[in-house]
Amino acid sequence: MAFQLLLTVFSCALLFLQPAFGITRHYTLEIKMHNVTRLCHTKSLVSVNGQFPGPKLIAREGDQLLIKVINNVPNNISIHWHGIRQLRTGWADGPAYITQCPIQTGQSYVYNYTIVGQRGTLFYHAHISWLRSTVYGPLIILPKRGVPYPFAKPHKEVPMIFGEWFNADPEAIIRQATQTGGGPNVSDAYTINGLPGPLYNCSAKDTFRLRVKPGKTYLLRLINAALNDELFFSIANHTVTVVEADAIYVKPFETDTILIAPGQTTNLLLKTKPSYPSASFFMTARPYVTGQGTFDNSTVAGILEYEPSKHTKDTHLKIKNLQLFKPVLPALNDTNFATKFSNKLRSLNSKKFPANVPLKVDRKFFFTIGLGTNPCNHKKNQTCQGPTNTTMFAASISNISFTMPTKALLQSHYSGQSRGVYSPKFPWNPIVPFNYTGTPPNNTMVSNGTNLMVLPYNTSVELVMQDTSILGAESHPLHLHGFNFFVVGQGFGNFDPNKDPKNFNLVDPIERNTIGVPSGGWAAIRFLADNPGVWFMHCHLEVHTSWGLRMAWLVLDGDKPDQKLLPPPADLPKC
């Protein structure tokens, strides 16, 4: 008896002695071809460890991750750890030709980074061409051991990752679109955890089912890994409580529907009904659409199933015969709902999780974001399939459509060999101002270049991103690598620098890494440039990124040793 008591005390002591600074976790991700069947269509796709979606990676705040990525497919590959700050470890950020050359066939690379001051739901995905259509998976960061959530501990945690399924090869789709100058073909289905669900043909067996117990609270970790679509999501006859966005705790609020853009994550608390309801419930998602192009107008559905207790008459066999309720989602173009939902998101701003909004601003920037055109680049007299038969679709930031370099920007900067690779002169404001959300100008042509905005270390930045009406106003989910930012203001129409800043929220604005700039409107963000390196910023609608809606920030080293970019690893891929 005394020995058992001593053993118990010793075990408890071991728990308290675990390092507060984290541990080193090793993962191996093999990028390999894998046969997958959806919609009665079998194809060989690029996968992670032969899984679609890829495996769930788990870490704790403070952990060091060593993730070996082995490329065993014909395509070049790189992996981005979406939302990870990568403090001084830009070499591990992952976007091809920005922070690294891609991993070539038969080669490998170890992504080495430490999770500093972050916890919550993030994800990883390929960051080259359209390979992220199948190469993605959850990245779950738990709080430090012994640190609770700022809400009651859930009974169970469930990752739910949205994606898109293409019967065709997405690489062939974007390749054809690039050649013709037209819009790419859309997906054939949306998926939850890789499964399209019963509303699609031949897919009843490929349905995500969430089995729950009555009277319990579940933490749903939602991730939008879709290529090109913002999504509404709802669970029939249930309300949820939003508690986190982009791995940042928020002031909790209840809703029956959420909006989540590509690149965003949202944590929900689902409190199940107190007793067995003798029914099942659809969990559905479909797109929020603001642009004028074609889109996948379909709905993915999972099913929320209650486990019958021993005292209920329903058996497992009878679950199939239960009444199945469907939620009512907002209209496809319900910008009013999108705005109201976005305005509800506020940082928790507690003593433990403060909202450290930069109150003093060193540099103010105003970027336009939107579509445009390039002339047909065919040497022969072929017609294009863009807005006209002589133009190709393009997209830009401040009318500069980003040209992807053939050498990695970070390596070029670090080695002092940037001449001819990029220009350090990105404009602070549009070179040619116009009525951004009014009648578009006759000339829709963009300029093309590889332009970076250079910032001294620790610069506090205010950036206003203004949507334009060129080829139609549209919501753009802008993602910034290497930083979180505070969304201090949003609005419709043209940003007014004299009036709009008076309404900025500098107390508890939402902090995140991806923001949906409103269709026909603007969003203002602030961040502190305290992370040296080259950091990509781009629309997370993959079609717009492919068309050039992207740029990069170059944050210079600070004076102190802990303010400088770490040296590149020995196994960094070469171009």
Side-chain angles (χ1 to χ4, degrees):
M1 184 72 178
F3 175 75
Q4 286 182 323
L5 180 62
L6 184 64
L7 189 63
T8 303
V9 171
F10 180 70
S11 300
C12 292
L14 277 180
L15 284 174
F16 285 108
L17 287 172
Q18 292 205 20
F21 49 81
I23 63 173
T24 300
R25 297 176 187 256
H26 296 262
Y27 285 103
T28 298
L29 303 183
E30 182 189 1
I31 310 302
K32 60 191 292 188
M33 303 306 295
H34 179 61
N35 285 342
V36 176
T37 301
R38 298 288 186 271
L39 312 181
C40 277
H41 183 93
T42 302
K43 69 173 185 178
S44 182
L45 54 75
V46 181
S47 75
V48 184
N49 293 356
Q51 300 177 44
F52 169 70
K56 176 175 65 177
L57 305 185
I58 298 178
R60 286 192 182 275
E61 178 184 350
D63 286 353
Q64 179 187 20
L65 294 184
L66 294 171
I67 306 173
K68 184 175 185 178
V69 176
I70 305 168
N71 184 8
N72 283 327
V73 300
N75 313 72
N76 287 345
I77 196 74
S78 69
I79 304 293
H80 172 50
W81 318 95
H82 185 110
I84 295 289
R85 287 279 329 260
Q86 299 290 0
L87 288 165
R88 301 175 61 214
T89 54
W91 311 105
D93 190 42
Y97 300 107
I98 306 298
T99 58
Q100 67 167 95
C101 298
I103 307 167
Q104 298 179 23
T105 305
Q107 302 297 311
S108 66
Y109 177 48
V110 176
Y111 290 90
N112 180 355
Y113 57 90
T114 299
I115 300 166
V116 180
Q118 292 184 277
R119 82 294 307 162
T121 302
L122 296 173
F123 69 117
Y124 63 90
H125 61 78
H127 211 303
I128 182 169
S129 191
W130 278 25
L131 289 178
R132 77 172 180 87
S133 62
T134 57
V135 177
Y136 62 86
L139 175 55
I140 308 302
I141 306 169
L142 301 173
K144 290 181 179 179
R145 195 172 294 278
V147 176
Y149 295 126
F151 46 82
K153 184 179 179 181
H155 172 68
K156 189 178 181 182
E157 302 183 10
V158 183
M160 294 176 61
I161 189 162
F162 300 109
E164 288 184 81
W165 171 266
F166 294 80
N167 285 334
D169 177 11
E171 291 299 280
I173 290 173
I174 186 56
R175 190 162 51 243
Q176 180 188 31
T178 303
Q179 291 170 352
T180 64
N185 292 338
V186 301
S187 58
D188 296 283
Y190 300 106
T191 58
I192 299 175
N193 293 346
L195 302 170
L199 302 183
Y200 295 101
N201 291 335
C202 192
S203 298
K205 70 182 189 309
D206 295 323
T207 301
F208 172 68
R209 297 177 184 273
L210 177 56
R211 300 292 302 276
V212 297
K213 295 178 179 180
K216 301 290 185 182
T217 299
Y218 292 78
L219 180 64
L220 307 183
R221 296 180 176 270
L222 269 56
I223 302 163
N224 189 348
L227 276 188
N228 292 312
D229 292 277
E230 301 183 62
L231 296 170
F232 294 119
F233 172 78
S234 184
I235 304 174
N237 294 20
H238 290 72
T239 59
V240 293
T241 302
V242 179
V243 293
E244 181 193 298
D246 289 1
I248 295 291
Y249 295 131
V250 303
K251 287 184 170 67
F253 66 92
E254 289 189 352
T255 183
D256 56 11
T257 304
I258 74 149
L259 175 64
I260 184 167
Q264 291 183 340
T265 68
T266 306
N267 279 9
L268 310 174
L269 291 179
L270 169 67
K271 191 168 185 178
T272 57
K273 297 183 180 300
S275 59
Y276 182 67
S278 294
S280 294
F281 306 90
F282 267 137
M283 306 180 289
T284 60
R286 76 175 184 195
Y288 165 53
V289 182
T290 57
Q292 298 179 357
T294 56
F295 63 96
D296 179 354
N297 185 10
S298 66
T299 303
V300 58
I303 299 178
L304 181 70
E305 296 178 342
Y306 278 74
E307 294 181 12
S309 70
K310 297 176 182 178
H311 307 292
T312 56
K313 295 180 181 179
D314 293 307
T315 64
H316 178 67
L317 294 175
K318 288 185 179 179
I319 286 179
K320 294 180 180 179
N321 301 322
L322 294 177
Q323 185 175 2
L324 185 57
F325 289 95
K326 297 182 180 180
V328 178
L329 289 168
L332 292 166
N333 62 348
D334 195 343
T335 295
N336 184 46
F337 175 88
T339 304
K340 288 181 178 178
F341 181 81
S342 179
N343 289 338
K344 290 178 183 176
L345 292 165
R346 300 292 180 97
S347 289
L348 191 58
N349 194 28
S350 64
K351 187 175 182 180
K352 195 167 188 178
F353 302 104
N356 296 316
V357 193
L359 300 178
K360 179 182 72 72
V361 174
D362 297 322
R363 296 192 180 183
K364 293 184 178 182
F365 303 107
F366 181 83
F367 294 174
T368 58
I369 57 173
L371 305 185
T373 55
N374 268 320
C376 285
N377 59 4
H378 300 297
K379 294 180 181 178
K380 300 178 181 178
N381 292 326
Q382 293 175 289
T383 58
C384 285
Q385 296 175 12
T388 70
N389 61 11
T390 60
T391 58
M392 310 174 74
F393 278 107
S396 68
I397 299 179
S398 294
N399 207 48
I400 300 173
S401 188
F402 187 88
T403 303
M404 194 63 79
T406 55
K407 297 178 180 178
L409 298 178
L410 185 59
Q411 288 163 281
S412 301
H413 160 67
Y414 188 82
S415 63
Q417 299 175 333
S418 62
R419 180 172 293 184
V421 179
Y422 65 82
S423 164
K425 297 180 180 180
F426 195 94
W428 287 35
N429 298 281
I431 296 172
V432 181
F434 61 98
N435 182 4
Y436 305 113
T437 57
T439 303
N442 292 328
N443 182 7
T444 62
M445 291 290 179
V446 300
S447 61
N448 297 275
T450 309
N451 296 56
L452 275 60
M453 179 66 79
V454 181
L455 296 172
Y457 182 83
N458 241 19
T459 302
S460 58
V461 173
E462 180 180 290
L463 167 64
V464 175
M465 293 176 283
Q466 172 74 60
D467 184 33
T468 77
S469 58
I470 296 176
L471 300 185
E474 190 167 352
S475 175
H476 297 277
L478 262 290
H479 172 51
L480 175 61
H481 292 227
F483 299 93
N484 284 339
F485 50 75
F486 293 93
V487 185
V488 296
Q490 295 182 82
F492 291 99
N494 295 341
F495 174 74
D496 187 328
N498 296 315
K499 294 181 180 179
D500 289 324
K502 295 176 183 177
N503 298 317
F504 281 178
N505 175 10
L506 301 179
V507 177
D508 63 350
I510 185 66
E511 181 183 354
R512 60 188 326 160
N513 63 62
T514 304
I515 176 62
V517 177
S519 176
W522 55 270
I525 66 172
R526 289 187 180 183
F527 66 95
L528 186 66
D530 58 353
N531 194 8
V534 176
W535 305 107
F536 209 21
M537 188 176 83
H538 59 93
C539 182
H540 224 274
L541 302 179
E542 209 62 37
V543 57
H544 291 169
T545 301
S546 301
W547 286 345
L549 209 166
R550 52 197 180 188
M551 57 84 68
W553 303 80
L554 169 54
V555 179
L556 302 175
D557 281 349
D559 295 329
K560 299 177 182 178
D562 63 352
Q563 298 174 345
K564 298 181 187 300
L565 179 69
L566 292 171
D571 64 338
L572 188 70
K574 295 180 173 59
C575 291

